[in-house]
Structures are given as structure tokens and as C-alpha cells.
Amino acid sequence: MDRPPGAARSEDPDAAHPPHPQPTVAFERCRAIRACRPLVNVLGVAGSIDFNSDLGEGAGTDAAIMPLITSANIACGGHAGNENTMRTTVELAMRNEVAIGAHPGYPDRERFGRVPMDIPARELIDSIQRQVDSLVAIASRMGARVTHVKAHGALYNQGERDATTARSIIFGIQAATGGHDLVIVAPPGSAMVEEATAIGMKVAREGFVDRAYEGDGTLRSRLIAGSVLTDPADAVRQALSFIKNGGVTAVDGTFLKIAVDTLCVHGDTPGAPEIARAVRDAFAKAKVKVTRFRS
């Protein structure tokens, strides 16, 4: 993840819920019923699920994970990644017929984009535009197309809860080449979904097979033990629950009804390739079709 050999990564507080501006009333209502649907088109293919992973971040798992997924979110120079890693990851995605997405984050490589940054909206918009454009340009030169964008780490979590941050992310995406046609991957019932659909952007709602959920539907902080699911059996149970039950059980025992179009396994979760393989095998056994969401 673009750190000097042996350098420790800062403890990951994504979803540690630092203070944020008050979300909109509509968002609070939407979050209370996490199964609420976007105002525009839902991009899942009936009877199927997309399976994605955040890659190109230096975790060393890309080659093992790529054949098991249908969509890749590729780090594009903010929290991780550079021209070489982008080219390598795009090429790997093309070989495996995997949809290519941009994965912009806060420009904070030292902390891997997992700590919120207080930067002006214009600066954030420009940073996201540059990151997405970098991947779009590289993919275009290689004869590939970028289909979607998923924010990374703290940026993703702030965009979930704060409409102002969500709008900055969306404006940055729209400013990029072909940005208005890109699908935005975001949590169901989030400010990102509400703000994007309100202006006609396409959205794919995302759930996680390798992260524990709080009772309010947000991800449990990585600072808390057990927040990352590293046992493939646990990830399989969560993945199948999304499909069969229409949601997942939170750490407090609450069942969260969450409709999703895509499920994610993080490329840097310990044992990520084994988790991805177990989930794909479970989907095959359950006769769940795995295919890209519409773009």
C-alpha cells in the first residue's frame, strides 16, 4: 500500500464515526430503513449479485482475487497506487473480464486514506477528479473502459453520513472524463445514494462480506476487535444472508434489512483470497449467479 518496507500503517479508524456535520432528515429516515431503494434505477441484475474488491493497493492479493470477482475498484493515486500499479491492475482485470472501477480516496498515503481529512470542498473535488481521470486515461490507452467509482476508506464513510461530503465526491466524479456516465458504488440508505440519485446519477448499493455491522447499519470501527471478518465461514454466512435473507445480523443482534447490488471483499483483509474463493464456492452451491451490475 505504497508504504516503505516495514513501515506500520496507522490504525484504521474507518467507521470509527468521528464527528460530522448533521446529516439530512431524509438521510436519517432512509438509514432507519436500510432497505429503501434509490430514486432512480437500481443496477443489480435480477437473480444475481456483483462481487467486487478494492485492489491495486499493494496488498499482494490482486492476482489471486481478480479471477474470483466481477468488478475491481482500483486505487488511483490518492491513498495508494500510481501509474504502474494502475496499468498492472487494469491489465489483470482485462484478462479476467472484470469491470474496472476507480477507487479514489483522501490524498493521504501515510495513513492509507482511512483517517478523515478536513480539506476545502474545492480541493477535495479537484483531488477526486484527478484520481478518476488518471485511471480513465490509463484504461483508455489500454483499450478498456472505466465503468464505476467507489470512494475509499474515510472518504466512503463520510460520504455515507454527510451530504456535504457526498456532494463533493459526486461533483469530483462528474468533473472527470465521462464522469456523468459512471456508476457510483455506495452504501444503501446513505447520503451518497440520496444525493447521487437526486441528480440522476446511477448507483449500485454495496454490502460487505468481511466487515461487521453496527445496529444502525454502519460498519463497525476497525479499532474494535472482530470488526473485520477473517474466517471464510463467517464471510460466507454474511454473504448468503445478504442474498437469501435480504440483509445481515448486526453485532447487537439486530437484523438489518439491506438491499444490495454488489458485495465487497477488501483486498487487504487477512486471508482475502481464501474468503473470496469460499464466497464464490458458496454462491455456486446455492445457485446464485455472480455477474456485473449494469453500467
Side-chain angles (χ1 to χ4, degrees):
M1 287 143 228
D2 296 347
R3 295 183 299 279
R9 183 164 73 206
S10 301
E11 182 55 59
D12 181 349
D14 78 359
H17 307 292
H20 298 287
Q22 289 297 313
T24 63
V25 172
F27 169 52
E28 288 292 0
R29 182 172 64 250
C30 192
R31 185 171 68 179
I33 48 172
R34 300 287 291 191
C36 68
R37 294 183 177 273
L39 305 176
V40 184
N41 51 330
V42 175
L43 297 180
V45 178
S48 69
I49 192 71
D50 176 70
F51 193 31
N52 79 76
S53 188
D54 305 337
L55 302 176
E57 297 176 326
T61 59
D62 294 11
I65 291 175
M66 195 72 80
L68 303 171
I69 60 175
T70 46
S71 297
N73 319 308
I74 301 174
C76 40
H79 68 286
N82 54 45
E83 287 195 10
N84 289 335
T85 60
M86 281 186 268
R87 278 195 298 269
T88 299
T89 314
V90 167
E91 181 180 19
L92 188 59
M94 292 173 68
R95 286 206 306 268
N96 288 276
E97 299 183 344
V98 169
I100 296 166
H103 193 42
Y106 278 122
D108 183 9
R109 301 170 84 87
E110 181 181 354
R111 298 179 296 180
F112 198 59
R114 281 179 168 160
V115 176
M117 293 182 70
D118 184 14
I119 59 178
R122 182 72 258 171
E123 183 179 333
L124 179 58
I125 291 168
D126 289 346
S127 176
I128 292 169
Q129 177 187 356
R130 286 193 300 270
Q131 291 179 59
V132 175
D133 270 337
S134 293
L135 186 69
V136 168
I138 287 171
S140 179
R141 290 196 295 269
M142 298 175 69
R145 180 173 70 95
V146 172
T147 61
H148 63 278
V149 179
K150 173 187 168 182
H152 166 80
L155 186 60
Y156 181 97
N157 291 317
Q158 288 190 287
E160 177 180 14
R161 298 182 289 272
D162 173 30
T164 299
T165 302
R167 285 192 290 270
S168 291
I169 295 170
I170 294 164
F171 294 158
I173 293 169
Q174 290 183 319
T177 303
H180 287 268
D181 296 323
L182 297 174
V183 176
I184 296 177
V185 178
S190 65
M192 278 292 295
V193 167
E194 183 167 322
E195 296 295 329
T197 55
I199 59 173
M201 294 289 286
K202 294 176 286 186
V203 174
R205 302 163 299 176
E206 181 180 43
F208 294 86
V209 306
D210 59 353
R211 293 296 305 276
Y213 281 82
E214 296 287 3
D216 67 353
T218 56
L219 298 179
R220 168 154 276 208
S221 168
R222 288 176 181 264
L223 296 170
I224 302 173
S227 62
V228 179
L229 308 183
T230 58
D231 185 337
D234 291 337
V236 164
R237 277 192 291 272
Q238 186 143 299
L240 291 178
S241 184
F242 272 114
I243 304 301
K244 293 183 174 182
N245 305 325
V248 294
T249 301
V251 292
D252 64 0
T254 302
F255 182 77
L256 305 169
K257 192 166 180 60
I258 306 177
V260 297
D261 308 301
T262 183
L263 291 173
C264 174
V265 58
H266 290 88
D268 64 346
T269 292
E274 290 74 24
I275 292 171
R277 170 53 66 191
V279 169
R280 285 302 302 263
D281 288 346
F283 283 159
K285 186 175 180 180
K287 295 182 169 50
V288 175
K289 185 178 181 181
V290 183
T291 187
R292 302 178 187 178
F293 51 75
R294 294 189 299 272
S295 61

